[in-house]
Amino acid sequence: MEPNLSLCVICLGINENTVTVNRSSAFPTVYKHQPSLLALELSAINGCVLCKLAFDGLRKNEEVSDIDLRLALALTASANCSLPYDEEGKAYEIATTDILNLQVDESPEPIYTDEDLSSCTPLLFTITGTIKDGTARIVCLSTPPPLGSLPGQIFVSRGSKEPFQTLDFVVSGRSIRGILQSPLETSIQVFTTRNDPLAASIPLRPIPRDPLSKGSIGTINQWLDDCATNHHSCSSYLDMQPLPTRLVDVGSADGSGPVHLRLSKEDECGIYAALSYCWGASDLPFITTNDSLHERISQIPISNLPATFLHAIQLCRRLGIQYVWIDALCIIQDDKNDWRIEADRMSSIYSRSAITFSATLSVDVSQGFLNDRKVPEVWLPWHDFKDAKQGLLHLRQPSQGWYDLLGDGAPLMKRGWTMQERLLAPRVLHFGQQMFWECWTCMRSQDQNPGEMTEQLTRMAKFNQEGGKYRLSDAARNRMARRPLPPIEQNFRIFTYWSRILADFTQRELTVSSDKLPALAGLARKVQQQTGDIYCAGLWRSCLPEFLLWSRQESKFLKKSPGYRAPSWSWASFDGKVERWRPEGYLPENMSKNSLIQVGHDDISILDVSVLYSPADSLGEVESGEITLRGSMTSLEILGPNVDFDLPDTDFVESMQNGYPIDALQTKDSPEANAWGCLFDCEPEADQNQFWALQVHTSLTFEVVEGSQTLLGMRHGALILREIENPHSKGEVSTYERLGRASLSINSKQIATRLGVAGGTRIDVDVPWEAHTKRWPCRIIKLI
């Protein structure tokens, strides 16, 4: 086999024998690579592809800035190296010779354990203090480094995970406090072709540069066929489904037929794809309007379409799918009534699609998603001693994984509308640096990464299959049996699912502020169909008391919507991130077997909920909403700066100490020993000091050990309200609006005092809930 001329002599020395002997040892065999970062960079500049992959990987470390890397280059090279310069052109005042010749202090104890070192080469040194005036304290590990090593020596080892997926490049002295806070290391991904003799031991495969190549289309068809044949939880993409009002007909497979807008007949069924994408800041001459509708039924000029739409049409043609639904073309954008009707049908449009194409990394509609992928790679001859096979080991920067693609940084994951598009679709094909498949049964990646090939169900899939019910183990069911909240499993499932949805959705962006609820209407309708629950302006009727206690982030106030969008008790009336929350007292998955959280009745009774949507049969835009309820209320006031108070909630205390906008409130008429920690939704007015508290629920925490129950504490949850004038209110019912939420923690001694028993007395779990509920006056009020 001819040598690879794109590699330097040192890289050509990397082979199975130099990096994998004694892999079971705590310290894997390592191969001495370049003597310093500077040497690595020079080799990359001189044309070694693998050195360039390694150096670029080190530079991509998010926690290591480029200037820090340059400083590390100087510290780990020879004394004659020039120092880096800062942004103002001034050199760092560090004497390289002093750094390199510092006296070494021996450490009596190893700084790192064998476990820390099991996945990388042993470290040579660690600088334990910030470098200042050319001096620092260097601590050597008790574990001796490889003989002849110098600071900055680069080592290569086989990745510790099996099967074989990476070569790890590690810089000796990886942690330099004040310069490099994180390990200076990188992994190069290894893969091979399907027919290579090494394929049995190396799972990763090449990623075709062309997303429309024969291999790429074959992969998509294989995923589709596997889903149709083996995934009983997924609806088959071959099933004929009712068609949306309008669809884009992609023409003939060879591109000779015209692309045009097709009007579906009543009750007509067929197969179609859907597109999920970012509109972006592009000009919008491509949208369908009342003026262009008739023309587009005849033909849509290809020259008028942006790249993302063209790519969706090309992909449909290659897959043999005749129609694709694209909102900008299939909804009449200047017809408010048509837009409302079609937006409310999003649930059925995406859930009935054969497949949804997701332009996940495209910032706007002009970028497309089928562009060539240029991923630098190189190969090494490789001999697998275990299986006695020889082949070609290909190397590249790690390909994009699921969490990279679907993280907060992906453009599509930042947009509000696209969230329900992904969750509603039974099959989604994501396009990034490679293709990813997501259905209601599994996830797949084009490089066949076993870490991505999970059979774990997606959140929406679980919700669809289980009809909205949450399945509990027998042990968990027994521990929950004495709770008086009915029906627990159904409520718990809706609550936990929807709180996750809101925590994600509220940090996404919407171009049009009034789309806040319409952008979730399709998903809300799907949940409503699955559960039979009633949707209340962004919350759910079955567990409305718990939902009313939604909360903003501790560190930041919300912003009130510029116009009416929802009632004050709904998160949708604000802009800003809502935290994920769970009902107090439900058992978290990691709860100890000896612990039990007992939840009492909600402290309010919902008498009536009225929400008026526009149009009336939709779940989108809200014209008005109010809740009539009965509950205990009292007045509160903000504690002044010179008032002493006790706030047992350690999370609140820590947040207040960090300067977060959290207030302490106290009951005005009957002060408690403890203060309420309050999160106002928006910054309260400067002259406002008087508020009302509506107690919403109470939870008691017991520790159960061998049948003995010990009360640990109690927590009250309340809404902070303000009374307002309401000309439509009748009789004695006063009207309030929400200003925030508050909580009050009570320890076991204070609970014993409240119940009139001696401190330390065993308090049984069956004490009536009324005995634990604060005895505030009970009133009937309206929330708007």
Side-chain angles (χ1 to χ4, degrees), residues 418-434:
T418 60
M419 181 177 185
Q420 68 171 1
E421 295 168 4
R422 175 194 169 201
L423 294 178
L424 289 169
R427 284 162 293 275
V428 182
L429 193 61
H430 297 274
F431 289 87
Q433 295 175 5
Q434 62 171 314

Side-chain angles (χ1 to χ4, degrees), residues 472 475-489 492 582-588 591 595-601 700 765-766 769:
L472 300 169
R477 193 185 310 276
N478 292 336
R479 287 151 60 198
M480 297 174 70
R482 301 177 72 178
R483 291 192 207 153
L485 270 179
I488 285 176
E489 293 186 7
F492 184 75
R582 65 178 180 84
E584 295 274 349
Y586 286 101
L587 287 171
M591 178 61 65
S595 299
L596 171 69
I597 295 182
Q598 180 78 8
V599 166
H601 263 154
L700 293 179
V765 74
D766 290 325
W769 286 102

Side-chain angles (χ1 to χ4, degrees), residues 440-676:
W440 287 350
T441 300
C442 69
M443 295 179 284
R444 296 282 186 265
S445 62
Q446 194 172 9
D447 65 0
Q448 300 184 33
N449 190 329
E452 311 290 358
M453 300 172 65
T454 173
E455 299 296 332
Q456 182 179 359
L457 297 177
T458 59
R459 293 192 296 269
M460 192 63 201
K462 272 192 173 183
F463 206 87
N464 275 291
Q465 292 183 61
E466 299 177 9
K469 291 185 177 180
Y470 184 70
R471 295 178 180 175
L472 300 169
S473 65
D474 290 339
R477 193 185 310 276
N478 292 336
R479 287 151 60 198
M480 297 174 70
R482 301 177 72 178
R483 291 192 207 153
L485 270 179
I488 285 176
E489 293 186 7
Q490 176 83 351
N491 289 0
F492 184 75
R493 184 61 186 150
I494 295 175
F495 191 98
T496 53
Y497 177 77
W498 200 251
S499 67
R500 287 180 180 177
I501 293 296
L502 296 186
D504 187 344
F505 177 76
T506 54
Q507 66 182 340
R508 296 180 178 228
E509 301 169 1
L510 290 166
T511 303
V512 181
S513 175
S514 59
D515 286 352
K516 181 76 80 170
L517 285 172
L520 271 186
L523 189 59
R525 189 168 295 281
K526 187 70 173 180
V527 174
Q528 184 172 270
Q529 292 169 352
Q530 291 289 332
T531 65
D533 207 341
I534 300 173
Y535 189 58
C536 306
L539 307 177
W540 294 97
R541 178 65 178 84
S542 64
C543 38
L544 189 55
E546 289 89 349
F547 271 122
L548 288 174
L549 288 171
W550 59 265
S551 176
R552 63 164 170 87
Q553 286 181 309
E554 290 186 352
S555 59
K556 193 174 183 179
F557 285 118
L558 302 174
K559 294 183 179 179
K560 190 70 176 176
S561 60
Y564 184 85
R565 199 165 62 197
S568 68
W569 44 265
S570 170
W571 57 269
S573 61
F574 301 92
D575 290 323
K577 178 174 170 52
V578 169
E579 289 285 9
R580 178 186 171 188
W581 74 107
R582 65 178 180 84
E584 295 274 349
Y586 286 101
L587 287 171
E589 295 178 0
N590 61 352
M591 178 61 65
S592 164
K593 292 182 179 180
N594 289 333
S595 299
L596 171 69
I597 295 182
Q598 180 78 8
V599 166
H601 263 154
D602 298 319
D603 297 327
I604 59 173
S605 299
I606 305 295
L607 305 179
D608 183 56
V609 181
S610 175
V611 178
L612 180 60
Y613 295 97
S614 179
D617 59 348
S618 73
L619 297 178
E621 293 185 11
V622 170
E623 291 189 352
S624 65
E626 67 177 32
I627 299 174
T628 304
L629 58 84
R630 179 189 295 110
S632 299
M633 297 181 64
T634 191
S635 59
L636 293 176
E637 61 183 358
I638 296 180
L639 291 172
N642 298 320
V643 178
D644 295 330
F645 62 91
D646 183 16
L647 192 61
D649 193 317
T650 56
D651 291 337
F652 270 147
V653 172
E654 182 178 354
S655 298
M656 293 179 75
Q657 291 173 341
N658 289 333
Y660 290 165
I662 299 174
D663 290 284
L665 279 71
Q666 197 166 49
T667 52
K668 184 178 180 181
D669 299 327
S670 55
E672 296 286 335
N674 300 331
W676 291 74

Side-chain angles (χ1 to χ4, degrees), residues 699-751:
S699 62
L700 293 179
T701 305
F702 290 84
E703 184 178 32
V704 181
V705 181
E706 298 179 355
S708 176
Q709 300 167 340
T710 303
L711 181 61
L712 301 180
M714 176 170 59
R715 189 179 181 90
H716 295 297
L719 289 181
I720 305 301
L721 308 176
R722 173 173 59 190
E723 188 172 5
I724 61 173
E725 294 184 4
N726 183 4
H728 305 291
S729 182
K730 299 179 181 179
E732 299 296 326
V733 179
S734 299
T735 302
Y736 295 81
E737 66 177 0
R738 171 184 159 132
L739 296 179
R741 64 159 291 176
S743 62
L744 173 66
S745 297
I746 307 291
N747 59 37
S748 57
K749 178 185 268 188
Q750 292 167 333
I751 297 173

Side-chain angles (χ1 to χ4, degrees), residues 49 93 158 160 231 273 371 413 493 664 681 696 749 762:
V49 179
E93 295 180 355
R158 173 169 168 158
S160 60
H231 295 176
N371 306 304
M413 299 298 108
R493 184 61 186 150
D681 300 329
V696 176
K749 178 185 268 188
R762 175 180 176 275

